[in-house]
Amino acid sequence: MLSSIKDRSVIVTGASKGIGKGIARVFAAKGAKVLVVARNEQDGGRTVDEIKAAGGGASFCQGDVRSWDDMQNVAATAAERHGGVDILCSNAGIFPSAKLEAMTPDDWDEVLGTNLKGSFLALKACLPHMKKRGKGRVILTSSITGPITGYPGWSHYGASKAGQLGFIRTAAIELAPLNITVNAVMPGNIATEGLDGLGEDYLRKMTDSIPMKKLGTVEDIAHAALFFASDEAAYVTGQTLVIDGGQILPESLMALEEM
Ligand code: NAP
């Protein structure tokens, strides 16, 4: 069993829905004080209400990860409400689909600006607060799509998710002397509001292509993030963990058909 993260100050970006909401719920259930960050106040408020109803500690702070001002405000708010910043879960992300011929330069900037630059801005804003603490944990939500696999329509998304891994490797070196670790979870296909938006046909075919024959849960990802945030993972930095029910393992469709 991992040691307690009780009373740790945790920021989760993109915590109003999906994986971020799952991370917020699991960390709060373990006693952490969670700052729920998203753009939509109503959705964020619902997450906070659910966490409080389950006996956890959480509050909402509106923030757009594309905005440097917003990320500075988010970090300052966590410090003010919780006495500092211990853990950043940089999770906010979008995955609109556009094949290359249809993709506009604005589409590209939107995805890279949210998924990749957003992670940089959130980490940079938390840095002075973690430095003050003398330690810190940063956990990015990357993906298998980009670093390991490809999928038509998601070249910009894949670039952003692979970019996150390039980012953590140098960030981990730079921040190691400050006792701040930087790691990433790499989900496969996880049942979330965002994934639901891709439609029933996508979900059914994707489920069929996963050796475990089911989508992951947001808790599957939250528990991996919890490991990177734990005291036991103090010596782990610049690393990744794939959580995908074996999705990346088959070398061809034939490998699945053999089952
Ligand atoms: P989701 O259900 O669509 O939730 C996305 C969350 O991010 C929402 O809370 C949304 O709230 C927030 N968000 C989006 N843009 C934002 C911005 N500019 N500033 C602040 N918050 C923003 O998505 P999800 O499926 O949980 O995905 C979460 C993360 O996991 C993403 O980074 C995604 O790439 C990654 N991931 C997901 C899967 C999967 O299968 N679901 C697989 C691999 C990786 P607002 O819209 O209110 O801001």
Side-chain angles (χ1 to χ4, degrees):
M1 195 167 113
L2 301 175
S3 56
S4 174
I5 60 158
K6 193 166 159 28
D7 292 331
R8 302 267 162 92
S9 168
V10 184
I11 295 171
V12 185
T13 67
S16 64
K17 292 183 196 162
I19 292 173
K21 186 172 181 173
I23 293 173
R25 268 203 317 256
V26 166
F27 278 53
K30 300 283 179 195
K33 295 177 283 193
V34 178
L35 193 70
V36 169
V37 179
R39 292 166 302 178
N40 186 300
E41 195 168 356
Q42 264 188 343
D43 292 341
R46 260 196 298 275
T47 300
V48 169
D49 291 345
E50 279 179 38
I51 290 172
K52 284 185 173 165
S59 61
F60 178 69
C61 181
Q62 195 166 38
D64 186 327
V65 296
R66 295 168 299 180
S67 158
W68 173 228
D69 284 350
D70 280 12
M71 288 306 97
Q72 285 178 293
N73 181 53
V74 160
T77 301
E80 195 184 300
R81 292 185 194 166
H82 305 146
V85 178
D86 296 304
I87 300 161
L88 165 68
C89 294
S90 174
N91 164 84
I94 55 172
F95 35 93
S97 174
K99 293 204 176 130
L100 280 171
E101 279 187 307
M103 188 184 292
T104 65
D106 284 348
D107 291 338
W108 178 273
D109 287 345
E110 182 64 11
V111 170
L112 273 286
T114 304
N115 299 358
L116 185 53
K117 189 176 176 189
S119 296
F120 155 66
L121 294 179
L123 184 153
K124 185 170 169 63
C126 290
L127 205 46
H129 301 281
M130 289 180 173
K131 246 178 119 170
K132 214 181 266 178
R133 275 282 213 250
K135 60 178 180 168
R137 294 298 162 86
V138 180
I139 301 120
L140 270 63
T141 306
S142 175
S143 177
I144 57 169
T145 312
I148 301 175
T149 64
Y151 198 99
W154 280 331
S155 59
H156 49 0
Y157 177 78
S160 73
K161 294 287 149 180
Q164 284 182 313
L165 300 193
F167 173 67
I168 66 161
R169 293 192 179 107
T170 291
I173 296 172
E174 285 189 25
L175 303 184
L178 301 174
N179 204 17
I180 298 170
T181 66
V182 190
N183 294 291
V185 289
M186 297 170 69
N189 278 262
I190 309 302
T192 65
E193 290 90 329
L195 207 75
D196 280 351
L198 300 177
E200 260 180 42
D201 194 43
Y202 172 93
L203 295 179
R204 188 176 39 78
K205 286 183 183 154
M206 194 49 81
T207 304
D208 281 348
S209 70
I210 300 169
M212 286 190 181
K213 300 295 177 203
K214 58 180 180 184
L215 300 180
T217 66
V218 295
E219 286 78 13
D220 290 327
I221 308 306
H223 287 117
L226 192 62
F227 168 68
F228 283 131
S230 71
D231 288 347
E232 285 77 3
Y235 203 52
V236 179
T237 195
Q239 300 305 309
T240 59
L241 185 59
V242 172
I243 309 109
D244 74 341
Q247 188 177 336
I248 59 168
L249 300 177
E251 66 181 41
S252 72
L253 279 176
M254 273 164 60
L256 281 169
E257 285 160 9
E258 289 286 325
M259 285 169 60

